[in-house]
Amino acid sequence: MNNITVNEQFGLQNQLKQVKKKKKKSKLKSIIVFLIFEFLFMSLTTPLLVFYGPFNNVKRTIIGMTWNSFTLQKIPKAFLSDNAISRILGDGYAISDLDTEAIKMLKFGVKHTGEIELFDVESSNFKGKMLLIEDPTRIKVGYSNQMPRAGETTSSIAKRNGAIAAINGGGFIDTKWAGTGGAPLGYLISNGKYISGQIKDKDKKRDTIAFTEDGMLIVGKHSENDLNKYKVKEAISFGPPLIVNGKPTVKGDGGWGISPRTVIGQKEDGSVLMLVIDGRSLKSFGATLEEVQNIMLKHGAVNAANLDGGSSTTMYYDGKVINTPSDALGERSVPSVFMVMP
C-alpha cells in the first residue's frame, strides 16, 4: 500500500508540473501574440497618426528629418503627395521676416595668411567639427569632374584640386532615385565662371551662398544681376540663410528636424567658419537649424547659411575626412564643395 501511495503521489506531482508548464507556455504564448499584435497595430497606426494626425509640429519634424535623407525620403512619399510634402516643409522652413536680400557690405582688411584652426563642437545630442580660416580669399568652389552625369566625393574633389580642407556644398537633383549627385541645384560658379545654373531671367532671386572677389560671404536670395553687381567669384545655391547682417533668421527649431548638418559662415573680421555636425548615430543624433545657427552666432558669425546636410555632410582636412558621414557606405557623391586652397 505504501509503495502504491508513493507512486500515486509521484504521479500527481508530475501531473502538477505538467499543468504548470502548460500554463507557463500558454501565458508566454499569449504575451508573444499580444506583442506581435501591438507591433503590427503600432506599425499601421503610427504612420497614419504622424502623417495625417493633428500634431503639426511632430509631422513637420518627422518629415524634415526624413527629407534630409536620400533613403528615408521614401517614407513620407509613401503616405503623402509631393504637394502635401512641399506645403508642410514650406511651412516648416521656419525663416523670419528678416530681409535676406539686403546686404551690408563688410569692410575688413584681408590677412593673406595660411592659418587654419580646428575645433571640436559638442553638446549632449551631437558632435561636430569646426574650421576657422583667417583668409577668406582662400575659399574656392570645387565641383565634380563627372558633372552632370555623376558627383564626386568631397575628399576626391579636394585632393584633385590640391585643397587643404573642404566641406560639401550645394544640393543636387535626383534623377530616377539614382542619387549620383551629378546635377547641381541653382548656381555653381567657380573662379568667376558659371559652371552651371545660368537662366534667361537674370533678375530671378535664388538661394545664394557666394564669395565676392574680396572674400565677403553673401547669403540669402539673389539674382544673377545681383551677383554681377557684387563681383561674386565663387557661388553655389542652397539654404536657408541662418544669419544675415548679424541677425538670426530661424524661427523655432527651423522645422527641418534633427539631421547631420553642414554650415558656412563669416565673422566681421572676414575669417570664415566651416561647421559639420554628425548625425544618425547613438554617438551623435544630429542638430536642428536653430542649434547650428546658435553655434555660428556664438563663434561670431555675422553671415551664415545652411549647406546640404544629411548623408552629404563631410569635412576633409589635412589629407583625410575628419568627421563621420552618416551613410553606411561612407562619403556620398556630391556636385560641389567649398575648398580651402593653400
Side-chain angles (χ1 to χ4, degrees):
M1 290 292 294
N2 289 336
N3 289 336
I4 295 173
T5 303
V6 170
N7 289 335
E8 286 178 346
Q9 287 179 347
F10 184 73
L12 287 172
Q13 287 176 353
N14 282 336
Q15 288 178 8
L16 288 172
K17 286 181 180 178
Q18 292 297 324
V19 170
K20 287 181 180 178
K21 283 182 179 179
K22 287 181 180 180
K23 284 183 178 181
K24 284 183 179 179
K25 287 183 178 180
S26 178
K27 188 175 181 180
L28 181 61
K29 186 177 180 181
S30 297
I31 292 172
I32 291 172
V33 170
F34 174 76
L35 290 174
I36 292 172
F37 172 79
E38 283 292 302
F39 175 76
L40 293 173
F41 179 79
M42 293 298 291
S43 298
L44 292 172
T45 59
T46 299
L48 296 176
L49 187 63
V50 168
F51 295 119
Y52 300 108
F55 310 108
N56 292 327
N57 288 336
V58 173
K59 187 186 305 182
R60 193 160 54 238
T61 298
I62 295 297
I63 293 176
M65 290 173 64
T66 57
W67 207 247
N68 278 284
S69 167
F70 168 71
T71 304
L72 298 180
Q73 279 185 12
K74 297 175 184 178
I75 297 174
K77 276 181 168 288
F79 293 92
L80 298 170
S81 67
D82 288 344
N83 287 337
I85 292 171
S86 178
R87 185 177 65 253
I88 293 166
L89 290 182
D91 293 339
Y93 210 63
I95 304 304
S96 70
D97 297 329
L98 186 71
D99 184 1
T100 64
E101 296 178 16
I103 294 177
K104 180 182 176 182
M105 301 304 292
L106 298 178
K107 296 179 181 180
F108 49 79
V110 176
K111 300 175 182 178
H112 295 288
T113 72
E115 291 296 318
I116 298 180
E117 294 183 63
L118 174 64
F119 305 94
D120 288 323
V121 177
E122 293 188 18
S123 82
S124 58
N125 296 320
F126 58 76
K127 294 181 179 181
K129 302 285 186 181
M130 176 178 280
L131 290 174
L132 172 65
I133 302 97
E134 285 194 5
D135 184 354
T137 62
R138 297 171 65 196
I139 308 299
K140 307 293 181 185
V141 167
Y143 53 93
S144 169
N145 63 358
Q146 303 178 60
M147 199 173 62
R149 182 175 57 84
E152 196 177 349
T153 63
T154 298
S155 61
S156 177
I157 297 173
K159 289 176 182 177
R160 181 164 48 79
N161 286 277
I164 295 172
I167 51 174
N168 65 290
F172 54 89
I173 301 168
D174 274 326
T175 56
K176 298 181 181 179
W177 292 93
T180 57
L185 288 167
Y187 303 120
L188 204 167
I189 302 174
S190 180
N191 199 31
K193 296 180 181 180
Y194 277 89
I195 307 304
S196 68
Q198 281 187 293
I199 55 176
K200 291 182 179 180
D201 185 356
K202 305 302 180 185
D203 289 314
K204 181 178 175 61
K205 307 282 186 181
R206 291 186 286 175
D207 286 319
T208 303
I209 305 172
F211 283 90
T212 68
E213 61 182 20
D214 294 327
M216 178 176 165
L217 174 63
I218 292 175
V219 301
K221 289 187 178 292
H222 304 286
S223 67
E224 287 185 38
N225 284 335
D226 292 335
L227 302 191
N228 291 333
K229 180 177 67 175
Y230 295 122
K231 298 181 179 180
V232 163
K233 191 175 180 181
E234 313 288 333
I236 63 166
S237 288
F238 210 73
L242 302 175
I243 306 168
V244 179
N245 301 325
K247 296 180 181 179
T249 65
V250 173
K251 293 191 297 185
D253 67 359
W256 274 52
I258 297 170
S259 194
R261 301 286 176 196
T262 306
V263 179
I264 193 166
Q266 187 171 50
K267 300 171 69 171
E268 196 165 9
D269 64 2
S271 55
V272 174
L273 299 167
M274 291 181 169
L275 171 70
V276 295
I277 299 294
D278 290 335
R280 299 176 185 159
S281 76
L282 294 177
K283 293 181 179 179
S284 182
F285 297 126
T288 64
L289 291 180
E290 181 189 30
E291 285 173 326
V292 290
Q293 173 187 259
N294 289 340
I295 292 171
M296 298 304 274
L297 285 169
K298 179 182 177 181
H299 285 82
V302 293
N303 290 299
N306 179 57
L307 296 169
D308 191 16
S311 300
S312 298
T313 291
T314 308
M315 178 176 281
Y316 168 87
Y317 179 57
D318 197 22
K320 61 184 179 181
V321 173
I322 61 171
N323 74 310
T324 306
S326 62
D327 196 308
L329 299 176
E331 282 188 82
R332 186 181 186 182
S333 294
V334 296
S336 62
V337 303
F338 277 114
M339 307 181 296
V340 183
M341 304 307 293

